Amino acid sequence: MADDPGLGETLLALCMIGLGVRGWIYGDLAGVWQHLPVAHLPAEGGIALAVALVEFASGLGLLVRRTAPAAAVALVALLALWTLLLKLPGVLAMPGMEATWLGVAEITLILAGGWTLMGLRLRHEGGNRGARLLFALSLLPIGLAHFVYAPQTVALMPAWLPWHLAWAWFTGAASLAAAAAVLLGLLPRLAVALESAMLSIITLVIWLPRLLAAPGNDNWTAFLMSSAIACGAWAVLDGYRGAPLWVVAGPMQLAPAPLPRQA
C-alpha cells in the first residue's frame, strides 16, 4: 500500500506552498507572524526568500511519497526555528502580555501538525504524544485571547454575523475545551476534529472575504497564516487516523494508527 498523504498533510502542504509563493512574490516575511526581532536587518529580503524556499520545498515534498519524510523534518525544523528565534524573544521580553503567548501558540500549533506528520512518516509513534501535548498547550493562549482581546476579536467579525461577543466567547471556550479534552483523553479525536473545523470556518468567515475584497499582501498573509493554523490542527488529526471517534482514553493515552506500509 502507498503511503498516501492524509487530509491534514495535504492541506498543510498546500498552505506551506502558498506561503512560499507569497514570499517570492512580495519578497518579505509574513508580517507579524514572521517579524524579525532585529529592526531593519539588512538581510531581511534574503532571509524572506530563503524562508519562502523552505516553505515551498517542504510543502511540495510532503505531497510526494518518497520525499515526505525529509520534507516533514525540514518543516519541523523551520517551524521550531520560527518559534525560538522570532516568537520566544517576545515572551521573554513581555511575559505578562497575552499577545506574546498568542504569537507563540499560533506557530506552535502549526509545529504540532508538522511534528505529527514527521512522526507518522518516520514511523515513530512516540513523538505523536509530544505533538498532541504541544497542540493542547497551544490552544490555551489561543482560547484565552478571545476573552482577553474580546473587542479586537469582535472587530474582525463580519457585519452580517449576529451576537459578535457571544461568538468570541464561544470560540474561545471551544478552544479551551478542546485543549482539556486532548490532555485528559476525553473524546480527543472528536475534540481535535471539531477544533480543526472551527479554525477552518473562522478562516473562511473572517479572512477569505477580506482577501476577496482586497487581494493584497496583508490579506494574503493573514489568510494563508490563518489557513496554516487551521491545517496544523487537521495534521494533528491525521495522528488519530484509525482511532475511535467516541472514546474516553485517559490522559494522553490514545495511541495513533500508523500509516500503512508499502507492500
Side-chain angles (χ1 to χ4, degrees):
M1 297 176 63
D3 292 344
D4 296 325
L7 174 63
E9 186 170 15
T10 301
L11 292 175
L12 185 56
L14 293 175
C15 285
M16 299 314 297
I17 290 172
L19 283 169
V21 172
R22 188 219 66 84
W24 285 346
I25 291 174
Y26 293 105
D28 61 9
L29 293 166
V32 297
W33 290 276
Q34 290 180 331
H35 174 68
L36 291 173
V38 180
H40 307 298
L41 189 66
E44 180 175 346
I47 293 173
L49 293 177
V51 169
L53 177 61
V54 176
E55 289 170 340
F56 182 86
S58 61
L60 188 63
L62 286 174
L63 299 177
V64 180
R65 185 182 65 192
R66 292 187 177 181
T67 59
V73 172
L75 178 59
V76 167
L78 172 67
L79 292 168
L81 289 173
W82 189 338
T83 301
L84 294 174
L85 299 181
L86 304 187
K87 293 300 179 181
L88 188 58
V91 171
L92 296 177
M94 295 176 287
M97 180 180 292
E98 208 279 341
T100 62
W101 290 98
L102 173 62
V104 170
E106 290 175 331
I107 308 307
T108 54
L109 195 151
I110 308 172
L111 175 58
W115 191 354
T116 299
L117 299 180
M118 183 175 70
L120 291 173
R121 286 300 178 182
L122 296 179
R123 311 285 181 193
H124 181 61
E125 296 182 16
N128 208 9
R129 182 172 297 184
R132 292 174 184 175
L133 177 60
L134 181 61
F135 172 77
L137 294 178
S138 299
L139 289 180
L140 297 178
I142 290 174
L144 287 174
H146 287 221
F147 295 94
V148 176
Y149 302 113
Q152 292 87 337
T153 303
V154 165
L156 293 173
M157 296 183 184
W160 58 264
L161 187 69
W163 312 311
H164 288 180
L165 184 59
W167 280 116
W169 288 350
F170 172 79
T171 51
S175 291
L176 296 177
V182 173
L183 290 172
L184 299 176
L186 302 175
L187 308 179
R189 186 185 180 194
L190 178 62
V192 176
L194 292 175
E195 179 68 20
S196 302
M198 186 183 75
L199 292 173
S200 300
I201 292 171
I202 289 173
T203 299
L204 296 176
V205 171
I206 301 297
W207 298 113
L208 182 58
R210 292 168 179 259
L211 176 61
L212 295 176
N217 187 10
D218 290 344
N219 286 330
W220 268 115
T221 299
F223 174 76
L224 288 170
M225 285 304 308
S226 182
S227 297
I229 293 166
C231 293
W234 285 112
V236 171
L237 186 62
D238 278 0
Y240 288 95
R241 197 185 328 183
L245 186 64
W246 302 93
V247 64
V248 177
M252 303 295 294
Q253 294 301 310
L254 187 56
L259 286 171
R261 295 186 182 277
Q262 184 178 359

